[in-house]
Amino acid sequence: MCVSRMHTMGHSGMVGEVQAQQAATAAVFTAHPAKKMSRIEAMPGLPNLRRLREGSPIMRAACPTSADAAEQEAIRSKLGVRSLVDLRTADERLGDPLPYPMWDSVVRVRQGTVHSPPVEEASPQDTIEEGVVLYNVPLYTTRRIMRWVLLNAPLWEKPQLLSSLPTVLGLAKPDPDTMQVYNSSLSRHGLKGHNSFLLSSCGPQVCAVLQLMCDQSNLPMVFFCSLGKDRTGVISMLALHCGGASRDQIREDFKRSAEGLAKVKADVMQSLEKKGLDPEEFISARAEIVDEAFEYLDAKYGGVDEYLDSIGFGAEWRDKLAQVI
């Protein structure tokens, strides 16, 4: 399903109906190998920020929840953003919410479908056509990745994981101890396993994010997860592929997260360890992670384009994204 920019209606602050975006007209795909990859852009409060390509209206970053009031205003004014795309889970957003002054309205996208937010999540303003739209597009839920960990755990580890089955089934809320056990198991699969899970299990959400990038009314856009490296990195790999970037360029873009997170690396590693994740693995921005993701797509789907076809982001959509990037 195509998702597009939303507008509020009436005085309730509720988001109005989705305006269906027309399919892109057929166009000849033109790669832009001469375009330079973007340098890291310094922006206080928005770590790991960079454009997908030099001059591109689409930017990737880490979550800006630590930005103070002045930094929030600078992010809006200097970058001129019209939309923010939050790839984090609902649990992550609840624990570390994005400050309201950074956005004017909220749109939730689940399974590739747009949902109007409840009144308490919506903007108090009546008209936000010129404002910043925050799209909440969780690529996966906490329980979905817990189910994947349980199914893919070695036999000797399953009894401990099964002790938290009510949480996996959604009958209980995940607590820190349970998440530490599951994150420890996830660490055995590393980023290779995490990215394989994301690509194979979250196709509608991946497609929804890529479609949002194609909507000119959403641009300029910043999309982000917690660190702006893994979930954001997978989306960036696919978007850059659509834009004609070479595999070497995509590797270089991914590796830039090491520089982008350098100032917060110690704090991030401490946080990862506290959560039960392998800090060395999950802070890594090595180029091999890109190769592993594309090798997975080649082996399972026959290639990146074939994967994108399978999730509904076909050739016409890819042509449209290539023109934007």
Side-chain angles (χ1 to χ4, degrees), residues 212-230:
L212 287 172
M213 292 178 177
C214 295
D215 187 343
Q216 292 282 351
S217 66
N218 287 327
L219 307 178
M221 167 193 291
V222 177
F223 67 102
F224 57 88
C225 55
S226 292
L227 300 180
K229 182 179 72 70
D230 301 324

Side-chain angles (χ1 to χ4, degrees), residues 102-136:
M102 293 192 67
W103 48 267
D104 299 296
S105 66
V106 179
V107 176
R108 294 183 299 174
V109 182
R110 294 178 181 172
Q111 299 292 336
T113 303
V114 176
H115 295 260
S116 296
V119 174
E120 62 268 23
E121 286 190 27
S123 167
Q125 300 178 16
D126 293 332
T127 303
I128 54 94
E129 295 180 354
E130 298 304 320
V132 177
V133 177
L134 170 61
Y135 290 98
N136 286 328

Side-chain angles (χ1 to χ4, degrees), residues 40-51:
I40 297 287
E41 299 187 15
M43 176 66 69
L46 192 58
N48 204 14
L49 171 69
R50 57 191 179 276
R51 297 180 185 275

Side-chain angles (χ1 to χ4, degrees), residues 132-198:
V132 177
V133 177
L134 170 61
Y135 290 98
N136 286 328
V137 195
L139 292 187
Y140 50 76
T141 65
T142 301
R143 291 174 180 83
R144 179 182 289 187
I145 196 166
M146 289 178 73
R147 288 195 294 270
W148 183 88
V149 168
L150 177 59
L151 291 171
N152 290 276
L155 287 175
W156 60 266
E157 198 173 40
K158 287 186 185 291
Q160 184 182 23
L161 296 173
L162 283 168
S163 67
S164 301
L165 189 58
T167 302
V168 178
L169 297 176
L171 302 176
K173 292 184 178 181
D175 59 74
D177 290 339
T178 298
M179 292 311 304
Q180 190 169 52
V181 170
Y182 272 80
N183 284 337
S184 178
S185 183
L186 175 61
S187 290
R188 303 185 208 287
H189 300 279
L191 287 171
K192 179 179 180 180
H194 170 273
N195 292 345
S196 298
F197 153 74
L198 191 161

Side-chain angles (χ1 to χ4, degrees), residues 46-92:
L46 192 58
N48 204 14
L49 171 69
R50 57 191 179 276
R51 297 180 185 275
L52 286 187
R53 281 270 178 87
E54 188 172 301
S56 173
I58 303 175
M59 294 161 275
R60 54 176 293 180
C63 183
T65 52
S66 62
D68 60 30
E71 291 167 345
Q72 293 166 22
E73 178 56 34
I75 291 169
R76 288 187 59 138
S77 60
K78 292 184 179 179
L79 296 180
V81 294
R82 296 205 68 202
S83 65
L84 301 167
V85 181
D86 191 343
L87 308 179
R88 299 177 300 158
T89 67
D91 292 318
E92 288 175 297

